[in-house]
Amino acid sequence: MKHFKYILFIFLLIGFTTSVLNAQDENWEKIDEGEIEDASFVVEKNLEIELPQQNREFEKIPPLPANPTSQIRQNYNYLSIIPELSNLSIPNRALKLKSQPLEKFYGGNVTAGFGNYLTPYLDASLFNKRENKYALGLNLNHISSRNGPVDKQNSGSSETGAAVDTRYYGQKLTVGAKLNYDRRMVHFYGYPDGLEVDADSIKQVYNNFNLGFWFGNTNKKDDFDYVLEANYNFIKDKTFSSSESRTEVNFLSNYFLKEGLRFHLDVNTMFSSYKNPESLSRNLISVKPFVFYKFGDFDLTGGLNFVFRNDPISSSSSVLLFPFIDVVYNLNDYYSFFLKIDGDMEQVDFESIVDQNPFIGQGVELRHSNKKFGIDWGVRGNVNNYFNFLAGFKLSEYKDLYFFLNDSLNPATFRLVYVEENTNVMNIYGELILSRIKNYNLGIRADYFSYGTKTLEEAWHRPTFKLTGTFLSLIHN
C-alpha cells in the first residue's frame, strides 16, 4: 500500500511536467508569428541618493575623582661629568712627493772667440755655487786686434778688464762691494796717408779704476724698499795726462702705500775733479720724487726732477726743474703702448766721452747736456711667445749738446764742440728678439737718428743709422 502511493505520485508529476512544456511551445509559436513591438528604455545615470544629516551625540566621559595629595618638595643636583679618554696614538702617513732635482748650477763660464785683424777674445767668470748668506764673483775679459784698417799695427787696439763683486745677505740688510779695473789701448792713426809713423809714438792708453759699496734691505717685498750706493772712479790717460776723479752717491727708494700705489724718491749726486790740463770741479745733484699708480689697464708714473749743478762753463741755469710723466696702457698680456714725456740734465764726464771716442785730444771741454724736453712713444709686445718686439719714435730738444770735431792742430785727435742753441734730435727705433728656439737666442735693433742744428753744417761724428745684433748659441749643456 505504501509503495502504491509513491508510484501514483511519480505519474502525477510526469503528467504535470508534460503539460507545462507543451504550453511553452505554444506561446513561442505565437510570438514567432507576430512582429517585435517598439519599446523605449530610459537609463538614468546621475542618480544621487541623499540622506538627511543626523546629529550624533556622544556620551561625555565623567572626570575621575580627585584624590588630595600632599606637596612634595624636590631638590635637583646637576653633576658635571667629564669623561677621561686615554691618548690615542694614530699614525699619520703623509704623502711624500718626489723631490724635484735642482737645475744644475755651474760655478763659472768661459767665452772665447777669434776674429779678423788677428783679434782674440776671452771672457771668463768664476763664482761660488748656491749659498744663502753670501755671493762672490770674479770676471776677466780681454779683446785685442794686433792689426787695424790703417797700416796694420798702427791702428791696432786692445781692451782688458778685471772685476771682483761680492755681497752678503743678512736677515734684514744686504751689503755689497765691487772693484773694477779696465785698461784700453788705441793708436791715433788719423795721420796723413803715406806718412811713416812709429806705432808707439801714436799710442794712447787709458787706465780706469772703480770702487763701489752699497747696502739695502734684503726683502724687496717690504713696504719700504731702498738701496744706498757709493762709487769712486778714477781715470787717466798716458799721452796727455788727462784725468778725472769722480765720486757718486745714489739713494733709490720706494714706499708701498696701498695696492697699486707706490711713492718713490731717487737722489743722485756726482762730485768730480777734472784735469785737462787745468783742474776743474764739477758737481751735479738730482732729486726726483714721483708716484707710481696702477689704474685698471694703465700704469701711471709722474713726478718732478729737481737738478742742481755748478758747471761753470755751461750756458744753462744752475737750478732746473723738469716735470715728467710715463703712461703705459696694457692692451692684454702680450701688447702694451707707452708714452713718456720728460726732461733731464744728462751727465757728461771724462769716462763717458772716452767710451764713445777714445781718440780725443788734450784740453777737452766738458759740459752737461740739458735735455729741455723729450717725448717717447711706441709699442712693445710678444708674438706667440716666439718674438718680442719694440718699436717707437723719440723726439728731444737739447741745449749744450756736444759733437766730435777733428782738431785743426792735430787732425788725428778730436775735440768737443757744444751747440748752445736748441738742437732737435729725432730717433726712430725698432727691436726684435727671437728667444723661443731651443739653444738659440737672436736679437736685432735698428736706430735712425736725425739732428737739427743751426750752428753746425752737420752733426759731426754723430750716428745717422745704427744697427746692433746679438746671436747666442748653446753648444754644450
Side-chain angles (χ1 to χ4, degrees):
M1 189 67 177
K2 184 179 182 179
H3 293 287
F4 176 77
K5 291 179 180 181
Y6 289 139
I7 294 173
L8 180 61
F9 174 76
I10 292 172
F11 278 108
L12 292 175
L13 179 61
I14 293 173
F16 176 75
T17 303
T18 303
S19 61
V20 172
L21 292 176
N22 290 333
Q24 291 180 352
D25 291 340
E26 292 177 0
N27 292 333
W28 282 108
E29 290 176 0
K30 293 179 180 181
I31 294 174
D32 292 338
E33 291 177 359
E35 295 180 356
I36 300 176
E37 298 179 357
D38 294 333
S40 61
F41 302 89
V42 178
V43 179
E44 188 173 352
K45 179 179 179 182
N46 300 323
L47 178 62
E48 296 182 359
I49 301 175
E50 297 181 358
L51 299 178
Q53 295 183 357
Q54 297 293 330
N55 295 329
R56 186 175 181 183
E57 297 182 358
F58 296 90
E59 183 181 358
K60 296 182 180 181
I61 301 175
L64 297 176
N67 298 325
T69 57
S70 61
Q71 295 182 354
I72 301 176
R73 186 176 181 180
Q74 298 179 350
N75 296 326
Y76 298 92
N77 186 14
Y78 297 95
L79 299 179
S80 178
I81 301 175
I82 301 177
E84 295 182 359
L85 300 177
S86 60
N87 294 329
L88 298 178
S89 177
I90 301 176
N92 295 324
R93 297 185 59 185
L95 179 61
K96 295 183 179 180
L97 298 178
K98 186 178 180 181
S99 59
Q100 297 294 332
L102 295 175
E103 183 179 355
K104 191 173 182 179
F105 185 81
Y106 297 93
N109 57 70
V110 177
T111 305
F114 193 84
N116 58 339
Y117 296 116
L118 299 177
T119 304
Y121 170 73
L122 177 66
D123 189 302
S125 298
L126 180 65
F127 35 83
N128 65 306
K129 292 191 176 183
R130 290 186 176 92
E131 177 61 44
N132 295 329
K133 290 295 183 180
Y134 67 92
L136 177 63
L138 172 66
N139 176 262
L140 301 173
N141 59 83
H142 173 79
I143 183 171
S144 63
S145 296
R146 178 178 175 82
N147 301 326
V150 178
D151 294 339
K152 295 185 178 180
Q153 296 185 14
N154 284 10
S155 57
S157 61
S158 67
E159 291 185 46
T160 303
V164 178
D165 194 332
T166 181
R167 58 192 63 187
Y168 174 78
Y169 303 98
Q171 186 175 0
K172 294 185 177 296
L173 192 67
T174 298
V175 181
K178 62 180 180 179
L179 176 64
N180 299 340
Y181 168 72
D182 293 295
R183 181 184 183 275
R184 187 173 185 180
M185 186 274 293
V186 295
H187 291 89
F188 295 108
Y189 60 88
Y191 51 82
D193 294 338
L195 184 66
E196 293 185 2
V197 179
D198 182 61
D200 291 337
S201 64
I202 57 174
K203 185 178 181 180
Q204 173 68 294
V205 177
Y206 297 95
N207 292 289
N208 191 3
F209 298 89
N210 181 268
L211 176 64
F213 172 80
W214 63 271
F215 67 89
N217 59 320
T218 300
N219 188 5
K220 296 302 179 182
K221 295 182 180 181
D222 289 344
D223 291 345
F224 181 62
D225 182 25
Y226 68 94
V227 174
L228 178 63
E229 58 181 6
N231 294 282
Y232 173 77
N233 187 86
F234 179 80
I235 182 173
K236 184 177 182 179
D237 74 81
K238 183 178 180 181
T239 303
F240 305 114
S241 298
S242 302
S243 64
E244 182 185 53
S245 174
R246 189 176 75 255
T247 301
E248 296 179 353
V249 179
N250 303 318
F251 176 74
L252 310 177
S253 66
N254 68 84
Y255 182 74
F256 177 83
L257 298 175
K258 65 178 183 178
E259 187 66 27
L261 181 62
R262 296 196 305 268
F263 173 77
H264 294 251
L265 178 62
D266 295 349
V267 180
N268 300 280
T269 64
M270 189 275 289
F271 308 94
S272 69
S273 176
Y274 175 59
K275 181 180 179 181
N276 188 12
E278 297 179 357
S279 297
L280 181 66
S281 296
R282 306 172 63 242
N283 303 329
L284 181 63
I285 301 174
S286 172
V287 179
K288 185 184 297 184
F290 60 97
V291 175
F292 171 82
Y293 179 59
K294 186 173 182 61
F295 177 73
D297 296 329
F298 289 89
D299 296 337
L300 308 177
T301 304
L304 299 174
N305 184 11
F306 299 89
V307 177
F308 310 90
R309 63 177 183 82
N310 70 336
D311 212 348
I313 305 177
S314 177
S315 60
S316 300
S317 175
S318 58
V319 180
L320 299 169
L321 174 62
F322 302 96
F324 67 94
I325 185 172
D326 189 350
V327 180
V328 178
Y329 172 64
N330 301 296
L331 182 63
N332 49 42
D333 294 338
Y334 300 97
Y335 303 99
S336 62
F337 299 89
F338 60 89
L339 171 64
K340 183 177 182 180
I341 301 175
D342 67 346
D344 198 3
M345 182 65 70
E346 296 183 354
Q347 178 177 320
V348 177
D349 52 61
F350 187 56
E351 181 186 13
S352 63
I353 295 298
V354 170
D355 287 341
Q356 296 179 61
N357 188 348
F359 304 102
I360 58 175
Q362 190 175 16
V364 174
E365 182 181 316
L366 297 180
R367 299 186 194 177
H368 300 303
S369 296
N370 182 1
K371 181 182 176 182
K372 300 174 62 177
F373 173 80
I375 182 171
D376 182 13
W377 70 88
V379 59
R380 63 172 60 92
N382 179 279
V383 181
N384 296 330
N385 293 326
Y386 283 93
F387 294 96
N388 293 324
F389 70 89
L390 171 67
F393 176 84
K394 185 185 298 184
L395 183 63
S396 305
E397 184 178 88
Y398 283 89
K399 190 175 182 179
D400 291 333
L401 184 65
Y402 62 88
F403 297 87
F404 294 99
L405 190 65
N406 291 90
D407 195 330
S408 57
L409 300 178
N410 184 4
T413 63
F414 292 85
R415 61 186 178 92
L416 296 184
V417 178
Y418 291 88
V419 180
E420 296 183 358
E421 295 80 10
N422 294 334
T423 302
N424 297 321
V425 180
M426 183 184 67
N427 176 211
I428 302 174
Y429 58 91
E431 185 176 357
L432 185 65
I433 300 176
L434 174 64
S435 59
R436 188 64 183 269
I437 300 178
K438 185 178 180 181
N439 299 335
Y440 292 96
N441 194 322
L442 177 65
I444 186 171
R445 179 186 172 100
D447 288 84
Y448 171 76
F449 297 93
S450 176
Y451 305 87
T453 174
K454 298 179 180 179
T455 306
L456 299 179
E457 297 179 3
E458 60 178 277
W460 299 108
H461 300 284
R462 283 278 188 173
T464 301
F465 182 78
K466 183 169 65 174
L467 183 65
T468 306
T470 58
F471 175 74
L472 178 63
S473 174
L474 182 62
I475 300 176
H476 177 71
N477 187 1

